[in-house]
Amino acid sequence: MTFDRSLKIAPSILSADFADFGREIRAVEDQGADWIHVDVMDGHFVPNLTFGPPAVKAFRRHVTTFMDVHLMISPVDAYIDAYADAGADLLTAHVEAGPHIHRTLQAIRGAGMKAGVALNPGTPAEAVEHVLDICDLVCVMTVNPGFGGQSFIDMTAKVRKLRGMIGDRPVHIEIDGGVTPRTAPLVREAGADVLVAGSAVFKGGSVQDPAPYGENIRAIRVSCDTAV
């Protein structure tokens, strides 16, 4: 996939209908999603349990865009090959999840995926300064990880600092948490180019009536049009 900094909307299927993931994925893609975001939680690193490799493999059959898998688990390294086999295009690990994030990112790339590194709200941008040359994405958490539907924590100063640190490297800045048409322009103006949105995309729609998904995605895009 060719790198570009155009705005990408990545609906989080954590907010989709758990009984109908295949049609939900196809519906949001048809309605304008650029990526599909999959939140993997282990009940240990974060206080919730979600999807393992078999579920991600099942989702893969329905994803025609780009599958962005966010590991909120610890440890990470033992599961990298399983998520590669499941079909993740990009695998993101938290810098807080273990002592060797450089090794983890190397292993993700070695398994044939793009590598992302995530930062919790309390973790400074400088924590990833020395791995920017071996990652493809920095995910800035704008909520404390573990649950969908939380309120946005303003991390625009961190995003702006990261954008300066990244420079001309082909590294995306992703925002995960509390993204709405109100908050999206703040982080877009600061330098983010991938916006994860769960409830803000899926609210008001269903696989029987997917039009609201498209309206919600377009509302986020339009809100960002004047931010860059």
Side-chain angles (χ1 to χ4, degrees):
M1 188 175 70
T2 303
F3 180 85
D4 69 84
R5 298 194 191 280
S6 64
L7 180 65
K8 288 162 278 292
I9 308 296
S12 167
I13 61 170
L14 192 63
S15 295
D17 179 354
F18 276 36
D20 210 354
F21 277 124
R23 290 201 297 167
E24 288 277 52
I25 289 167
R26 293 195 296 274
V28 290
E29 287 190 334
D30 289 346
Q31 291 295 324
D34 300 291
W35 293 8
I36 297 297
H37 187 84
V38 182
D39 289 304
V40 174
M41 305 182 190
D42 64 357
H44 165 68
F45 182 67
V46 294
N48 200 1
L49 284 167
T50 58
F51 315 116
V56 173
K57 187 172 185 177
F59 303 154
R60 176 75 262 181
R61 297 197 302 270
H62 303 280
V63 176
T64 62
T65 53
F66 184 84
M67 189 161 66
D68 167 26
V69 178
H70 178 189
L71 298 185
M72 286 169 271
I73 69 173
S74 179
V76 172
D77 293 13
Y79 300 96
I80 290 171
D81 287 343
Y83 285 100
D85 291 342
D89 292 305
L90 183 146
L91 197 66
T92 295
H94 273 255
V95 72
E96 307 89 356
H100 304 296
I101 189 62
H102 191 284
R103 178 184 296 162
T104 297
L105 294 170
Q106 283 183 318
I108 291 170
R109 282 186 158 187
M113 297 172 286
K114 293 187 179 298
V117 59
L119 295 165
N120 283 337
T123 303
E126 288 82 1
V128 299
E129 182 176 3
H130 298 293
V131 296
L132 291 175
D133 287 329
I134 61 164
C135 72
D136 301 283
L137 175 145
V138 179
C139 174
V140 177
M141 296 301 299
T142 44
V143 296
N144 287 297
F147 296 97
Q150 297 184 71
S151 297
F152 179 80
I153 300 171
D154 189 352
M155 291 284 131
T156 51
K158 185 189 292 187
V159 174
R160 198 166 281 113
K161 181 171 283 190
L162 282 166
R163 187 66 196 87
M165 290 165 57
I166 288 168
D168 61 0
R169 295 178 177 93
V171 178
H172 296 291
I173 298 177
E174 178 177 77
I175 303 300
D176 188 351
V179 169
T180 68
R182 181 185 64 82
T183 60
L186 304 175
V187 290
R188 178 60 171 156
E189 185 277 331
D193 59 289
V194 182
L195 303 182
V196 176
S199 53
V201 166
F202 284 97
K203 68 180 181 181
S206 66
V207 293
Q208 291 79 24
D209 179 25
Y213 298 165
E215 294 165 7
N216 295 336
I217 289 169
R218 285 190 292 278
I220 294 171
R221 287 195 199 283
V222 168
S223 76
C224 292
D225 283 348
T226 59
V228 178

mmCIF file of all heavy atoms in Angstrom, residues 16-59:
data_model
loop_
_atom_site.group_PDB
_atom_site.id
_atom_site.type_symbol
_atom_site.label_atom_id
_atom_site.label_comp_id
_atom_site.label_asym_id
_atom_site.label_seq_id
_atom_site.Cartn_x
_atom_site.Cartn_y
_atom_site.Cartn_z
ATOM 1 N N ALA A 16 -19.542 -2.616 16.697
ATOM 2 C CA ALA A 16 -20.457 -3.250 15.750
ATOM 3 C C ALA A 16 -21.334 -4.286 16.462
ATOM 4 O O ALA A 16 -21.152 -4.580 17.650
ATOM 5 C CB ALA A 16 -19.655 -3.917 14.627
ATOM 6 N N ASP A 17 -22.269 -4.851 15.718
ATOM 7 C CA ASP A 17 -23.126 -5.921 16.221
ATOM 8 C C ASP A 17 -22.309 -7.208 16.280
ATOM 9 O O ASP A 17 -21.920 -7.759 15.253
ATOM 10 C CB ASP A 17 -24.320 -6.087 15.279
ATOM 11 C CG ASP A 17 -25.269 -7.202 15.713
ATOM 12 O OD1 ASP A 17 -24.959 -7.934 16.677
ATOM 13 O OD2 ASP A 17 -26.329 -7.333 15.072
ATOM 14 N N PHE A 18 -22.024 -7.694 17.496
ATOM 15 C CA PHE A 18 -21.176 -8.864 17.661
ATOM 16 C C PHE A 18 -21.762 -10.118 17.010
ATOM 17 O O PHE A 18 -21.034 -11.074 16.752
ATOM 18 C CB PHE A 18 -20.936 -9.135 19.152
ATOM 19 C CG PHE A 18 -19.800 -8.336 19.755
ATOM 20 C CD1 PHE A 18 -19.553 -7.030 19.358
ATOM 21 C CD2 PHE A 18 -18.983 -8.887 20.731
ATOM 22 C CE1 PHE A 18 -18.515 -6.294 19.907
ATOM 23 C CE2 PHE A 18 -17.944 -8.162 21.297
ATOM 24 C CZ PHE A 18 -17.707 -6.862 20.883
ATOM 25 N N ALA A 19 -23.038 -10.139 16.759
ATOM 26 C CA ALA A 19 -23.663 -11.313 16.150
ATOM 27 C C ALA A 19 -23.617 -11.275 14.628
ATOM 28 O O ALA A 19 -24.068 -12.225 13.983
ATOM 29 C CB ALA A 19 -25.118 -11.431 16.609
ATOM 30 N N ASP A 20 -23.056 -10.197 14.064
ATOM 31 C CA ASP A 20 -23.125 -10.046 12.605
ATOM 32 C C ASP A 20 -21.898 -9.314 12.064
ATOM 33 O O ASP A 20 -22.023 -8.407 11.242
ATOM 34 C CB ASP A 20 -24.395 -9.272 12.246
ATOM 35 C CG ASP A 20 -24.945 -9.656 10.875
ATOM 36 O OD1 ASP A 20 -24.285 -10.439 10.164
ATOM 37 O OD2 ASP A 20 -26.028 -9.170 10.521
ATOM 38 N N PHE A 21 -20.705 -9.722 12.506
ATOM 39 C CA PHE A 21 -19.497 -8.990 12.145
ATOM 40 C C PHE A 21 -19.254 -8.932 10.643
ATOM 41 O O PHE A 21 -18.835 -7.904 10.119
ATOM 42 C CB PHE A 21 -18.275 -9.599 12.831
ATOM 43 C CG PHE A 21 -18.066 -9.137 14.247
ATOM 44 C CD1 PHE A 21 -17.986 -10.037 15.290
ATOM 45 C CD2 PHE A 21 -17.939 -7.786 14.536
ATOM 46 C CE1 PHE A 21 -17.797 -9.610 16.595
ATOM 47 C CE2 PHE A 21 -17.742 -7.345 15.833
ATOM 48 C CZ PHE A 21 -17.667 -8.259 16.867
ATOM 49 N N GLY A 22 -19.478 -10.021 9.943
ATOM 50 C CA GLY A 22 -19.186 -10.038 8.514
ATOM 51 C C GLY A 22 -19.948 -8.964 7.769
ATOM 52 O O GLY A 22 -19.373 -8.163 7.013
ATOM 53 N N ARG A 23 -21.252 -8.916 7.990
ATOM 54 C CA ARG A 23 -22.061 -7.910 7.289
ATOM 55 C C ARG A 23 -21.793 -6.502 7.808
ATOM 56 O O ARG A 23 -21.883 -5.535 7.039
ATOM 57 C CB ARG A 23 -23.545 -8.262 7.401
ATOM 58 C CG ARG A 23 -23.928 -9.487 6.583
ATOM 59 C CD ARG A 23 -25.416 -9.530 6.288
ATOM 60 N NE ARG A 23 -26.209 -9.641 7.509
ATOM 61 C CZ ARG A 23 -27.524 -9.450 7.550
ATOM 62 N NH1 ARG A 23 -28.186 -9.114 6.450
ATOM 63 N NH2 ARG A 23 -28.187 -9.592 8.694
ATOM 64 N N GLU A 24 -21.455 -6.368 9.088
ATOM 65 C CA GLU A 24 -21.102 -5.052 9.619
ATOM 66 C C GLU A 24 -19.841 -4.512 8.945
ATOM 67 O O GLU A 24 -19.773 -3.334 8.578
ATOM 68 C CB GLU A 24 -20.895 -5.138 11.129
ATOM 69 C CG GLU A 24 -22.164 -5.323 11.937
ATOM 70 C CD GLU A 24 -22.890 -4.014 12.218
ATOM 71 O OE1 GLU A 24 -23.155 -3.256 11.266
ATOM 72 O OE2 GLU A 24 -23.191 -3.770 13.403
ATOM 73 N N ILE A 25 -18.827 -5.362 8.789
ATOM 74 C CA ILE A 25 -17.589 -4.939 8.132
ATOM 75 C C ILE A 25 -17.867 -4.512 6.693
ATOM 76 O O ILE A 25 -17.425 -3.445 6.243
ATOM 77 C CB ILE A 25 -16.536 -6.065 8.181
ATOM 78 C CG1 ILE A 25 -16.025 -6.240 9.612
ATOM 79 C CG2 ILE A 25 -15.385 -5.787 7.214
ATOM 80 C CD1 ILE A 25 -15.230 -7.519 9.828
ATOM 81 N N ARG A 26 -18.624 -5.328 5.971
ATOM 82 C CA ARG A 26 -18.930 -4.987 4.581
ATOM 83 C C ARG A 26 -19.751 -3.699 4.498
ATOM 84 O O ARG A 26 -19.559 -2.882 3.591
ATOM 85 C CB ARG A 26 -19.659 -6.152 3.914
ATOM 86 C CG ARG A 26 -18.790 -7.399 3.751
ATOM 87 C CD ARG A 26 -19.399 -8.392 2.783
ATOM 88 N NE ARG A 26 -20.671 -8.922 3.253
ATOM 89 C CZ ARG A 26 -20.802 -9.976 4.066
ATOM 90 N NH1 ARG A 26 -19.707 -10.597 4.503
ATOM 91 N NH2 ARG A 26 -21.983 -10.410 4.437
ATOM 92 N N ALA A 27 -20.639 -3.506 5.469
ATOM 93 C CA ALA A 27 -21.491 -2.315 5.452
ATOM 94 C C ALA A 27 -20.674 -1.040 5.639
ATOM 95 O O ALA A 27 -20.860 -0.063 4.895
ATOM 96 C CB ALA A 27 -22.566 -2.418 6.532
ATOM 97 N N VAL A 28 -19.760 -1.022 6.621
ATOM 98 C CA VAL A 28 -18.997 0.223 6.840
ATOM 99 C C VAL A 28 -18.009 0.461 5.705
ATOM 100 O O VAL A 28 -17.740 1.617 5.345
ATOM 101 C CB VAL A 28 -18.273 0.263 8.210
ATOM 102 C CG1 VAL A 28 -19.267 0.405 9.337
ATOM 103 C CG2 VAL A 28 -17.359 -0.920 8.430
ATOM 104 N N GLU A 29 -17.474 -0.609 5.118
ATOM 105 C CA GLU A 29 -16.614 -0.413 3.945
ATOM 106 C C GLU A 29 -17.419 0.179 2.790
ATOM 107 O O GLU A 29 -16.975 1.126 2.128
ATOM 108 C CB GLU A 29 -15.956 -1.731 3.530
ATOM 109 C CG GLU A 29 -14.861 -2.192 4.469
ATOM 110 C CD GLU A 29 -14.067 -3.363 3.927
ATOM 111 O OE1 GLU A 29 -14.615 -4.135 3.097
ATOM 112 O OE2 GLU A 29 -12.905 -3.518 4.311
ATOM 113 N N ASP A 30 -18.609 -0.355 2.544
ATOM 114 C CA ASP A 30 -19.455 0.170 1.472
ATOM 115 C C ASP A 30 -19.835 1.623 1.722
ATOM 116 O O ASP A 30 -20.064 2.385 0.768
ATOM 117 C CB ASP A 30 -20.731 -0.665 1.347
ATOM 118 C CG ASP A 30 -20.483 -2.046 0.761
ATOM 119 O OD1 ASP A 30 -19.388 -2.273 0.204
ATOM 120 O OD2 ASP A 30 -21.385 -2.904 0.883
ATOM 121 N N GLN A 31 -19.874 2.008 2.995
ATOM 122 C CA GLN A 31 -20.279 3.360 3.357
ATOM 123 C C GLN A 31 -19.097 4.328 3.479
ATOM 124 O O GLN A 31 -19.265 5.462 3.918
ATOM 125 C CB GLN A 31 -21.082 3.343 4.659
ATOM 126 C CG GLN A 31 -22.446 2.694 4.535
ATOM 127 C CD GLN A 31 -23.387 3.463 3.625
ATOM 128 O OE1 GLN A 31 -23.363 4.693 3.600
ATOM 129 N NE2 GLN A 31 -24.205 2.745 2.872
ATOM 130 N N GLY A 32 -17.894 3.870 3.117
ATOM 131 C CA GLY A 32 -16.788 4.806 3.013
ATOM 132 C C GLY A 32 -15.635 4.627 3.979
ATOM 133 O O GLY A 32 -14.729 5.466 4.006
ATOM 134 N N ALA A 33 -15.624 3.551 4.772
ATOM 135 C CA ALA A 33 -14.490 3.318 5.665
ATOM 136 C C ALA A 33 -13.230 3.054 4.842
ATOM 137 O O ALA A 33 -13.269 2.383 3.813
ATOM 138 C CB ALA A 33 -14.763 2.130 6.581
ATOM 139 N N ASP A 34 -12.104 3.571 5.316
ATOM 140 C CA ASP A 34 -10.824 3.342 4.648
ATOM 141 C C ASP A 34 -10.110 2.117 5.195
ATOM 142 O O ASP A 34 -9.479 1.375 4.442
ATOM 143 C CB ASP A 34 -9.921 4.569 4.835
ATOM 144 C CG ASP A 34 -10.535 5.827 4.257
ATOM 145 O OD1 ASP A 34 -10.638 5.909 3.024
ATOM 146 O OD2 ASP A 34 -10.929 6.704 5.044
ATOM 147 N N TRP A 35 -10.148 1.937 6.509
ATOM 148 C CA TRP A 35 -9.539 0.808 7.189
ATOM 149 C C TRP A 35 -10.590 0.189 8.109
ATOM 150 O O TRP A 35 -11.592 0.839 8.453
ATOM 151 C CB TRP A 35 -8.354 1.234 8.064
ATOM 152 C CG TRP A 35 -7.135 1.758 7.368
ATOM 153 C CD1 TRP A 35 -6.984 2.054 6.044
ATOM 154 C CD2 TRP A 35 -5.877 2.071 7.986
ATOM 155 N NE1 TRP A 35 -5.720 2.526 5.795
ATOM 156 C CE2 TRP A 35 -5.015 2.552 6.976
ATOM 157 C CE3 TRP A 35 -5.392 2.001 9.296
ATOM 158 C CZ2 TRP A 35 -3.704 2.946 7.224
ATOM 159 C CZ3 TRP A 35 -4.093 2.393 9.555
ATOM 160 C CH2 TRP A 35 -3.250 2.855 8.537
ATOM 161 N N ILE A 36 -10.338 -1.041 8.536
ATOM 162 C CA ILE A 36 -11.118 -1.678 9.599
ATOM 163 C C ILE A 36 -10.198 -1.863 10.800
ATOM 164 O O ILE A 36 -9.117 -2.451 10.672
ATOM 165 C CB ILE A 36 -11.697 -3.032 9.149
ATOM 166 C CG1 ILE A 36 -12.681 -2.848 7.985
ATOM 167 C CG2 ILE A 36 -12.374 -3.748 10.327
ATOM 168 C CD1 ILE A 36 -13.923 -2.028 8.314
ATOM 169 N N HIS A 37 -10.634 -1.368 11.952
ATOM 170 C CA HIS A 37 -9.827 -1.401 13.166
ATOM 171 C C HIS A 37 -10.357 -2.480 14.101
ATOM 172 O O HIS A 37 -11.553 -2.511 14.411
ATOM 173 C CB HIS A 37 -9.888 -0.031 13.854
ATOM 174 C CG HIS A 37 -8.971 0.107 15.033
ATOM 175 N ND1 HIS A 37 -7.641 0.446 14.908
ATOM 176 C CD2 HIS A 37 -9.192 -0.045 16.364
ATOM 177 C CE1 HIS A 37 -7.080 0.517 16.112
ATOM 178 N NE2 HIS A 37 -8.006 0.208 17.022
ATOM 179 N N VAL A 38 -9.448 -3.359 14.542
ATOM 180 C CA VAL A 38 -9.821 -4.473 15.419
ATOM 181 C C VAL A 38 -9.086 -4.326 16.746
ATOM 182 O O VAL A 38 -7.850 -4.346 16.794
ATOM 183 C CB VAL A 38 -9.471 -5.834 14.765
ATOM 184 C CG1 VAL A 38 -9.910 -6.976 15.672
ATOM 185 C CG2 VAL A 38 -10.120 -5.963 13.392
ATOM 186 N N ASP A 39 -9.845 -4.171 17.827
ATOM 187 C CA ASP A 39 -9.277 -3.993 19.165
ATOM 188 C C ASP A 39 -9.169 -5.341 19.871
ATOM 189 O O ASP A 39 -10.189 -5.961 20.192
ATOM 190 C CB ASP A 39 -10.156 -3.051 19.991
ATOM 191 C CG ASP A 39 -10.078 -1.618 19.504
ATOM 192 O OD1 ASP A 39 -8.961 -1.086 19.442
ATOM 193 O OD2 ASP A 39 -11.132 -1.031 19.194
ATOM 194 N N VAL A 40 -7.951 -5.759 20.138
ATOM 195 C CA VAL A 40 -7.688 -7.030 20.830
ATOM 196 C C VAL A 40 -7.328 -6.721 22.284
ATOM 197 O O VAL A 40 -6.356 -6.009 22.549
ATOM 198 C CB VAL A 40 -6.543 -7.801 20.145
ATOM 199 C CG1 VAL A 40 -6.185 -9.046 20.942
ATOM 200 C CG2 VAL A 40 -6.930 -8.166 18.714
ATOM 201 N N MET A 41 -8.123 -7.241 23.215
ATOM 202 C CA MET A 41 -7.899 -6.980 24.642
ATOM 203 C C MET A 41 -7.833 -8.303 25.406
ATOM 204 O O MET A 41 -8.545 -9.252 25.066
ATOM 205 C CB MET A 41 -9.037 -6.123 25.205
ATOM 206 C CG MET A 41 -9.267 -4.833 24.449
ATOM 207 S SD MET A 41 -10.593 -3.864 25.209
ATOM 208 C CE MET A 41 -10.843 -2.604 23.965
ATOM 209 N N ASP A 42 -6.982 -8.333 26.434
ATOM 210 C CA ASP A 42 -6.686 -9.606 27.092
ATOM 211 C C ASP A 42 -7.181 -9.732 28.534
ATOM 212 O O ASP A 42 -6.957 -10.748 29.191
ATOM 213 C CB ASP A 42 -5.173 -9.871 27.063
ATOM 214 C CG ASP A 42 -4.360 -8.851 27.864
ATOM 215 O OD1 ASP A 42 -4.956 -7.894 28.405
ATOM 216 O OD2 ASP A 42 -3.124 -9.011 27.941
ATOM 217 N N GLY A 43 -7.837 -8.707 29.079
ATOM 218 C CA GLY A 43 -8.270 -8.767 30.462
ATOM 219 C C GLY A 43 -7.139 -8.678 31.465
ATOM 220 O O GLY A 43 -7.353 -8.836 32.672
ATOM 221 N N HIS A 44 -5.940 -8.403 30.977
ATOM 222 C CA HIS A 44 -4.748 -8.320 31.836
ATOM 223 C C HIS A 44 -4.079 -6.959 31.652
ATOM 224 O O HIS A 44 -3.975 -6.183 32.596
ATOM 225 C CB HIS A 44 -3.782 -9.457 31.476
ATOM 226 C CG HIS A 44 -2.403 -9.302 32.012
ATOM 227 N ND1 HIS A 44 -2.105 -9.375 33.349
ATOM 228 C CD2 HIS A 44 -1.220 -9.069 31.378
ATOM 229 C CE1 HIS A 44 -0.806 -9.184 33.525
ATOM 230 N NE2 HIS A 44 -0.246 -8.981 32.338
ATOM 231 N N PHE A 45 -3.668 -6.665 30.427
ATOM 232 C CA PHE A 45 -3.094 -5.349 30.137
ATOM 233 C C PHE A 45 -4.168 -4.270 30.211
ATOM 234 O O PHE A 45 -3.900 -3.130 30.597
ATOM 235 C CB PHE A 45 -2.441 -5.372 28.749
ATOM 236 C CG PHE A 45 -1.782 -4.082 28.356
ATOM 237 C CD1 PHE A 45 -0.654 -3.626 29.010
ATOM 238 C CD2 PHE A 45 -2.302 -3.302 27.323
ATOM 239 C CE1 PHE A 45 -0.048 -2.425 28.649
ATOM 240 C CE2 PHE A 45 -1.702 -2.107 26.954
ATOM 241 C CZ PHE A 45 -0.575 -1.672 27.626
ATOM 242 N N VAL A 46 -5.392 -4.646 29.819
ATOM 243 C CA VAL A 46 -6.553 -3.752 29.940
ATOM 244 C C VAL A 46 -7.711 -4.543 30.559
ATOM 245 O O VAL A 46 -7.754 -5.767 30.449
ATOM 246 C CB VAL A 46 -6.980 -3.169 28.573
ATOM 247 C CG1 VAL A 46 -5.914 -2.248 28.021
ATOM 248 C CG2 VAL A 46 -7.301 -4.273 27.574
ATOM 249 N N PRO A 47 -8.665 -3.847 31.175
ATOM 250 C CA PRO A 47 -9.727 -4.554 31.895
ATOM 251 C C PRO A 47 -10.900 -4.968 31.014
ATOM 252 O O PRO A 47 -12.045 -4.605 31.261
ATOM 253 C CB PRO A 47 -10.161 -3.521 32.938
ATOM 254 C CG PRO A 47 -9.919 -2.205 32.275
ATOM 255 C CD PRO A 47 -8.682 -2.401 31.445
ATOM 256 N N ASN A 48 -10.621 -5.723 29.975
ATOM 257 C CA ASN A 48 -11.687 -6.202 29.105
ATOM 258 C C ASN A 48 -11.135 -7.344 28.277
ATOM 259 O O ASN A 48 -9.914 -7.466 28.099
ATOM 260 C CB ASN A 48 -12.181 -5.070 28.194
ATOM 261 C CG ASN A 48 -13.560 -5.340 27.619
ATOM 262 O OD1 ASN A 48 -14.175 -6.366 27.899
ATOM 263 N ND2 ASN A 48 -14.061 -4.413 26.823
ATOM 264 N N LEU A 49 -11.999 -8.192 27.750
ATOM 265 C CA LEU A 49 -11.642 -9.291 26.865
ATOM 266 C C LEU A 49 -12.375 -9.117 25.544
ATOM 267 O O LEU A 49 -13.581 -8.848 25.543
ATOM 268 C CB LEU A 49 -12.056 -10.638 27.470
ATOM 269 C CG LEU A 49 -11.203 -11.213 28.592
ATOM 270 C CD1 LEU A 49 -11.947 -12.374 29.255
ATOM 271 C CD2 LEU A 49 -9.864 -11.696 28.055
ATOM 272 N N THR A 50 -11.662 -9.258 24.437
ATOM 273 C CA THR A 50 -12.355 -9.165 23.152
ATOM 274 C C THR A 50 -11.979 -10.324 22.237
ATOM 275 O O THR A 50 -12.454 -11.437 22.436
ATOM 276 C CB THR A 50 -12.104 -7.803 22.473
ATOM 277 O OG1 THR A 50 -10.690 -7.615 22.297
ATOM 278 C CG2 THR A 50 -12.669 -6.661 23.289
ATOM 279 N N PHE A 51 -11.110 -10.080 21.247
ATOM 280 C CA PHE A 51 -10.919 -11.023 20.154
ATOM 281 C C PHE A 51 -9.552 -11.693 20.185
ATOM 282 O O PHE A 51 -8.548 -11.040 20.469
ATOM 283 C CB PHE A 51 -11.069 -10.305 18.804
ATOM 284 C CG PHE A 51 -12.247 -9.377 18.735
ATOM 285 C CD1 PHE A 51 -12.063 -8.013 18.568
ATOM 286 C CD2 PHE A 51 -13.535 -9.864 18.835
ATOM 287 C CE1 PHE A 51 -13.142 -7.141 18.498
ATOM 288 C CE2 PHE A 51 -14.631 -9.011 18.776
ATOM 289 C CZ PHE A 51 -14.429 -7.636 18.605
ATOM 290 N N GLY A 52 -9.505 -12.963 19.832
ATOM 291 C CA GLY A 52 -8.252 -13.662 19.647
ATOM 292 C C GLY A 52 -7.989 -13.916 18.173
ATOM 293 O O GLY A 52 -8.774 -13.508 17.307
ATOM 294 N N PRO A 53 -6.883 -14.603 17.852
ATOM 295 C CA PRO A 53 -6.545 -14.840 16.445
ATOM 296 C C PRO A 53 -7.641 -15.527 15.628
ATOM 297 O O PRO A 53 -7.838 -15.146 14.463
ATOM 298 C CB PRO A 53 -5.271 -15.693 16.537
ATOM 299 C CG PRO A 53 -4.650 -15.285 17.832
ATOM 300 C CD PRO A 53 -5.795 -15.045 18.761
ATOM 301 N N PRO A 54 -8.375 -16.523 16.162
ATOM 302 C CA PRO A 54 -9.421 -17.134 15.329
ATOM 303 C C PRO A 54 -10.500 -16.131 14.896
ATOM 304 O O PRO A 54 -10.985 -16.194 13.760
ATOM 305 C CB PRO A 54 -10.003 -18.222 16.241
ATOM 306 C CG PRO A 54 -8.894 -18.566 17.185
ATOM 307 C CD PRO A 54 -8.224 -17.247 17.446
ATOM 308 N N ALA A 55 -10.871 -15.218 15.791
ATOM 309 C CA ALA A 55 -11.868 -14.206 15.421
ATOM 310 C C ALA A 55 -11.309 -13.273 14.349
ATOM 311 O O ALA A 55 -12.002 -12.942 13.378
ATOM 312 C CB ALA A 55 -12.288 -13.410 16.652
ATOM 313 N N VAL A 56 -10.055 -12.859 14.507
ATOM 314 C CA VAL A 56 -9.445 -11.967 13.527
ATOM 315 C C VAL A 56 -9.362 -12.657 12.165
ATOM 316 O O VAL A 56 -9.604 -12.042 11.116
ATOM 317 C CB VAL A 56 -8.057 -11.501 14.010
ATOM 318 C CG1 VAL A 56 -7.341 -10.696 12.923
ATOM 319 C CG2 VAL A 56 -8.198 -10.659 15.283
ATOM 320 N N LYS A 57 -9.051 -13.942 12.175
ATOM 321 C CA LYS A 57 -9.012 -14.700 10.913
ATOM 322 C C LYS A 57 -10.388 -14.737 10.257
ATOM 323 O O LYS A 57 -10.520 -14.630 9.030
ATOM 324 C CB LYS A 57 -8.503 -16.114 11.173
ATOM 325 C CG LYS A 57 -8.257 -16.923 9.906
ATOM 326 C CD LYS A 57 -7.570 -18.237 10.222
ATOM 327 C CE LYS A 57 -7.206 -18.998 8.954
ATOM 328 N NZ LYS A 57 -6.470 -20.253 9.268
ATOM 329 N N ALA A 58 -11.424 -14.863 11.072
ATOM 330 C CA ALA A 58 -12.789 -14.856 10.535
ATOM 331 C C ALA A 58 -13.149 -13.492 9.961
ATOM 332 O O ALA A 58 -13.789 -13.395 8.906
ATOM 333 C CB ALA A 58 -13.781 -15.253 11.625
ATOM 334 N N PHE A 59 -12.728 -12.409 10.631
ATOM 335 C CA PHE A 59 -12.990 -11.058 10.113
ATOM 336 C C PHE A 59 -12.296 -10.844 8.766
ATOM 337 O O PHE A 59 -12.823 -10.188 7.878
ATOM 338 C CB PHE A 59 -12.484 -9.975 11.081
ATOM 339 C CG PHE A 59 -13.040 -10.041 12.477
ATOM 340 C CD1 PHE A 59 -12.316 -9.522 13.545
ATOM 341 C CD2 PHE A 59 -14.280 -10.623 12.744
ATOM 342 C CE1 PHE A 59 -12.815 -9.564 14.833
ATOM 343 C CE2 PHE A 59 -14.784 -10.679 14.043
ATOM 344 C CZ PHE A 59 -14.049 -10.145 15.088
#
